């Protein structure tokens, strides 16, 4: 047997170590870039103004321009809903996005921020002329104050706040698709519910049974999208792409063949 030579082995060992090091460096760089591309959380606070509506301790308005209907009255949306000015509503594409809002008066405001979900639009008045404004539920607005001073803060009406984008978290719920009333095999309208992460929708596509083709759905209003060419044959798969970070999720055969209007079909998926 030939004698083992460390001198002859050393170059091969060095090349192996360098290869592994470069491979690891490449992996961590790619992972970091992917993480940055998919980050919805905004670390910066931005100036805005806020008011409140509804009853002083209420959950805000019923329904709203986003089309969530009675979902705004129950957990996890309950008391966290808010109407926003057009710059944040984005023609309805901002529906479902989540923001942290904090008021600035150290004498009456709490240091904590409240998390609100965009469910409605505030189109005029203090929300007009390109202003960034939040019209919050009475309950959410009161929580901006230190304990026991919610009513006093509400008496001020409009206040200065800071806000930043945050990831939506719906506590273990998966994305659901509500088939809107009036849907037929020639006009299918879907409302998207409980989208974690970005919360917003940039595009939506549908694939019919026994088809490999994804058909682009049209944004109607709020979180509602539709498809008109028919007849449409289920089961349907739905693919979502978020507006902010362009993440994509596909729910296969989430809507059954025997779907019915006003029914809600829950997927097994959600964004991280």
């Amino acid at each position: 047997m030939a004698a083992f030579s460390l001198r002859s082995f050393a170059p091969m060992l060095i090349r192996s170590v360098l290869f592994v090091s470069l491979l690891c460096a490449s992996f961590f760089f790619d992972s970091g870039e992917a993480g940055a591309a998919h980050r919805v959380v905004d670390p910066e606070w931005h100036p805005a103004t806020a008011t409140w509506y509804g009853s002083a301790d209420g959950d805000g308005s019923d329904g709203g321009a986003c089309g969530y209907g009675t979902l705004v009255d129950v957990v996890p949306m309950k008391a966290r809903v808010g109407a926003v000015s057009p710059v944040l509503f984005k023609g309805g594409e901002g529906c479902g996005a989540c923001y942290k809002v904090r008021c600035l008066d150290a004498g009456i405001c709490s240091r904590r921020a409240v998390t609100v979900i965009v469910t409605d639009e505030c189109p005029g008045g203090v929300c007009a002329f390109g202003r960034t404004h939040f019209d919050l539920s009475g309950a959410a607005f009161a929580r901006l104050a230190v304990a026991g001073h919610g009513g006093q803060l509400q008496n001020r009406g409009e206040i200065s706040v800071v806000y930043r984008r945050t990831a939506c978290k719906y506590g273990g719920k998966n994305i659901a698709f509500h088939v809107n009333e009036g849907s037929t095999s020639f006009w299918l309208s879907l409302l998207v519910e409980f989208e974690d992460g970005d919360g917003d929708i940039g595009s939506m596509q549908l694939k019919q049974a026994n088809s490999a083709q994804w058909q682009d759905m049209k944004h109607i209003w709020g979180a509602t999208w539709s498809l008109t060419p028919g007849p449409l044959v289920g089961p349907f798969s739905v693919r979502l792409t978020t507006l902010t970070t362009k993440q994509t999720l596909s729910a296969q055969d989430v809507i059954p063949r025997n779907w019915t209007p006003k029914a809600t079909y829950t997927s097994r998926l959600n964004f991280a």
Side-chain angles (χ1 to χ4, degrees):
M1 178 181 294
F4 174 78
S5 173
L6 181 60
R7 179 173 296 179
S8 63
F9 178 72
M12 181 174 65
L13 178 62
I14 292 171
R15 285 195 297 270
S16 299
V17 170
L18 285 174
F19 175 76
V20 172
S21 298
L22 288 171
L23 184 63
C24 290
S26 175
F27 171 79
F28 285 115
F29 177 79
D30 290 343
S31 298
E33 288 296 302
H38 290 164
R39 189 179 299 121
V40 69
V41 175
D42 184 356
E44 300 294 329
W45 292 94
H46 308 280
T49 51
T51 49
W52 62 280
Y53 65 108
S55 61
D57 58 352
D59 303 327
S61 64
D62 294 333
C66 290
Y68 295 123
T70 57
L71 286 178
V72 301
D73 300 322
V74 296
V75 174
M77 288 191 180
K78 182 179 176 68
R80 296 201 299 162
V81 306
V84 292
S85 55
V87 293
L88 296 180
F89 191 72
K90 302 174 184 177
E93 291 186 335
C95 287
C98 297
Y99 293 90
K100 288 188 178 293
V101 180
R102 180 166 54 87
C103 64
L104 300 174
D105 187 338
I108 191 173
C109 295
S110 170
R111 292 183 178 180
R112 69 178 181 273
V114 298
T115 300
V116 297
I117 304 163
V118 176
T119 63
D120 203 355
E121 181 180 23
C122 171
V126 293
C127 296
F129 308 112
R131 297 182 64 184
T132 303
H133 187 84
F134 292 84
D135 198 17
L136 306 178
S137 68
F141 192 93
R143 287 176 188 164
L144 293 172
V146 295
H149 290 77
Q152 184 179 348
L153 184 65
Q154 288 174 333
N155 287 338
R156 295 189 176 184
E158 183 181 346
I159 62 171
S160 296
V161 298
V162 289
Y163 75 98
R164 63 180 177 87
R165 186 74 177 272
T166 190
C168 295
K169 299 176 183 178
Y170 286 106
K173 286 185 173 292
N174 287 329
I175 293 175
F177 301 93
H178 178 79
V179 181
N180 288 315
E181 185 176 4
S183 290
T184 69
S185 60
F186 289 86
W187 182 78
L188 179 66
S189 175
L190 302 178
L191 171 74
V192 185
E193 303 171 354
F194 307 127
E195 183 189 339
D196 279 349
D198 289 12
D200 53 26
I201 304 169
S203 65
M204 190 162 155
Q205 297 170 306
L206 183 137
K207 184 168 64 175
Q208 299 185 58
N210 303 319
S211 174
Q213 180 183 2
W214 288 99
Q215 298 172 272
D216 291 330
M217 302 189 74
K218 180 181 180 180
H219 180 225
I220 306 177
W221 72 85
T224 298
W225 296 69
S226 74
L227 188 65
T228 52
L232 303 171
V233 180
F236 303 123
S237 300
V238 182
R239 182 163 67 189
L240 300 176
T241 301
T242 65
L243 177 67
T244 303
T245 62
K246 311 303 180 186
Q247 294 185 74
T248 299
L249 177 149
S250 298
Q252 299 297 323
D253 297 335
V254 64
I255 300 174
R257 181 180 298 274
N258 59 340
W259 61 270
T260 59
K262 299 194 289 185
T264 299
Y265 301 100
T266 303
S267 73
R268 299 180 180 179
L269 305 170
N270 213 324
F271 291 102

